[in-house]
Amino acid sequence: MKTALIIGITGQDGSYLAELLLAEGYRVHGLVRRASMFNRARIDPLRAGAPGEERLVLHYGDLNDRTSLRRMLRKVAPDEIYHLAGQSHVGLSFEIPEVTCEDNAMATLGLLEVVRDLDRPVRFYHASSSEIFGVPKAGPQTAATPVEPVNPYGCAKAFATQLCRVYRQAYGLFACSGIAYNHESPRRGENFVTRKISLSAARIRAGRQEELHLGNLDARRDWGYAPEYVQAMWRMLQAGQADDFVLATGRTCTVREFAQAAFAELGLELVFEGSGVAEVGRRTDNGRVVLRVDPRYFRPAESSALVGDPAAARERLGWAPRTVGADVARLMARADAEAG
Ligand code: G4F
């Protein structure tokens, strides 16, 4: 039986990955940070009497506490480590750049150092991001596209991605970065635009919300479906050779189109009435929802033209995303409406 450690197991990707690894017969350990509120809702179903429950073990820990991390890694002796933890909100990284760089860049370096010292070989996955490319001059991007981030989050991810490559080359570590484009699901955090949209659509339809504030509606993203992306993460660590891979759908849509698809799925028509300060979406009697831009959600700099080329993942990992853009919007809206 293989053993895996998931750092960031309580997040969207961590919870889907835990499900996948348990289904593959792994013993799964998860590192959880102490928090004043429990944040384990996404993995609770895996722990309460579900098949595989006895193969899921949680440990309190923190990437900044290297001694306990080292001790825990020696005890758990994982075959594979999935490093998914960190500050993942791009907009917020402008507000808290130092924490973002500590959590995403320096913590990854510390972890690589601890892994390098282990006395048995470990396969290491690092969750990198399309944000390392910033505003690329060419598309679709591949793992060879030059790195040129435009926000603190992208800088931190670029640093960590380059370090994984260095540790692979210099020390022969089986370290891989999945350069993942946006991947969403009903388990997405509520401050990412997709979930904000799907939850708002459900609540507005149920008459429990009146306003919808969104920022840049013309932002274009390469949106895929998170459960499919964790498949690629796992396949990367089963490959014959460690490498970095772009994980993307190769197609994009705008925030506006995503929102229209989500609202339409619940029988609501979104009407855009230009842009203005503090204008809000409001449900009207005839089932139309008026939405205007709220500049509070604009970012000091916006990445753009991000579209990934999944060809290498398809050819070398046999991975192909199936759920794209508006499909993701529809399934998220349905899930939030059904959840009530
Ligand atoms: O949902 P977002 O916050 O995701 P973003 O910034 O693309 O980052 C996500 O994907 C990256 C690539 O995989 C990850 F590395 C990162 O960790 C995260 O998972 O914003 C998407 C777009 C942006 O252009 C933003 O300006 O939506 C635009 N937007 C418009 N209105 C909004 C809003 N974003 C948020 N969060 N909230 C809004 O109201």
Side-chain angles (χ1 to χ4, degrees):
M1 186 191 285
K2 277 195 195 173
T3 300
L5 171 69
I6 304 176
I7 302 170
I9 194 169
T10 55
Q12 167 189 262
D13 292 359
S15 64
Y16 283 122
L17 182 63
E19 278 172 27
L20 170 73
L21 294 177
L22 288 171
E24 291 291 336
Y26 279 65
R27 177 178 292 117
V28 178
H29 293 260
L31 190 73
V32 291
R33 252 181 167 177
R34 195 210 72 84
S36 51
M37 304 272 284
F38 271 122
N39 59 353
R40 299 182 186 171
R42 294 184 181 99
I43 54 169
D44 275 343
L46 294 178
R47 302 174 68 226
E53 177 202 10
E54 70 290 352
R55 288 187 279 116
L56 176 63
V57 184
L58 300 183
H59 306 260
Y60 275 116
D62 193 305
L63 289 183
N64 294 317
D65 188 337
R66 303 273 154 73
T67 308
S68 63
L69 188 63
R70 198 173 282 116
R71 202 176 290 137
M72 192 270 284
L73 276 169
R74 289 224 176 90
K75 193 169 136 209
V76 166
D79 302 290
E80 298 169 9
I81 297 176
Y82 296 86
H83 171 34
L84 315 177
Q87 196 295 95
S88 61
H89 200 282
V90 174
L92 214 55
S93 78
F94 285 103
E95 320 260 324
I96 47 168
E98 293 182 35
V99 166
T100 302
C101 290
E102 281 298 330
D103 283 3
N104 295 355
M106 294 310 290
T108 306
L109 170 58
L111 185 55
L112 284 167
E113 277 292 279
V114 173
V115 169
R116 175 160 88 91
D117 287 344
L118 292 175
D119 43 20
R120 64 199 294 275
V122 176
R123 295 191 166 204
F124 183 83
Y125 177 86
H126 164 241
S128 181
S129 160
S130 53
E131 287 295 326
I132 66 174
F133 299 132
V135 185
K137 290 172 189 70
Q141 295 86 45
T142 68
T145 297
V147 161
E148 215 171 325
V150 295
N151 51 58
Y153 172 87
C155 290
K157 285 290 178 187
F159 174 93
T161 307
Q162 303 283 31
L163 270 171
C164 285
R165 195 172 304 157
V166 167
Y167 274 60
R168 186 164 71 227
Q169 288 163 355
Y171 306 120
L173 209 72
F174 196 106
C176 313
S177 289
I179 306 169
Y181 285 61
N182 300 51
H183 45 289
E184 318 293 316
S185 77
R187 296 188 198 169
R188 188 56 144 151
E190 296 178 19
N191 58 352
F192 295 94
V193 76
T194 52
R195 187 73 198 293
K196 189 171 161 181
I197 288 169
S198 64
L199 266 177
S200 297
R203 288 174 181 157
I204 288 171
R205 194 183 69 160
R208 289 191 286 112
Q209 181 178 321
E210 291 200 337
E211 298 182 347
L212 173 56
H213 304 246
L214 286 180
N216 183 359
L217 297 177
D218 296 318
R220 204 168 255 288
R221 286 289 183 276
D222 178 331
W223 272 301
Y225 185 41
E228 295 172 4
Y229 282 55
V230 302
Q231 277 279 349
M233 297 173 192
W234 176 64
R235 285 178 192 217
M236 282 173 69
L237 294 200
Q238 314 313 307
Q241 212 180 340
D243 209 345
D244 300 335
F245 286 90
V246 158
L247 307 178
T249 72
R251 286 154 61 182
T252 63
C253 72
T254 60
V255 170
R256 184 191 307 270
E257 289 159 349
F258 192 99
Q260 272 166 333
F263 275 76
E265 183 65 15
L266 302 189
L268 296 167
E269 187 195 354
L270 260 191
V271 184
F272 301 93
E273 288 191 350
S275 66
V277 177
E279 294 277 2
V280 294
R282 186 170 300 113
R283 190 178 180 184
T284 58
D285 288 341
N286 56 5
R288 301 165 91 206
V289 178
V290 179
L291 185 143
R292 294 187 191 174
V293 168
D294 183 342
R296 282 182 305 167
Y297 292 98
F298 286 167
R299 296 174 180 178
E302 181 75 90
S303 46
S304 66
L306 291 176
V307 55
D309 182 352
R314 188 173 54 240
E315 283 152 25
R316 291 168 51 204
L317 304 173
W319 178 79
R322 294 185 305 275
T323 319
V324 174
D327 303 332
V328 182
R330 285 189 280 269
L331 79 81
M332 287 176 70
R334 267 198 313 275
D336 277 324
E338 279 160 19

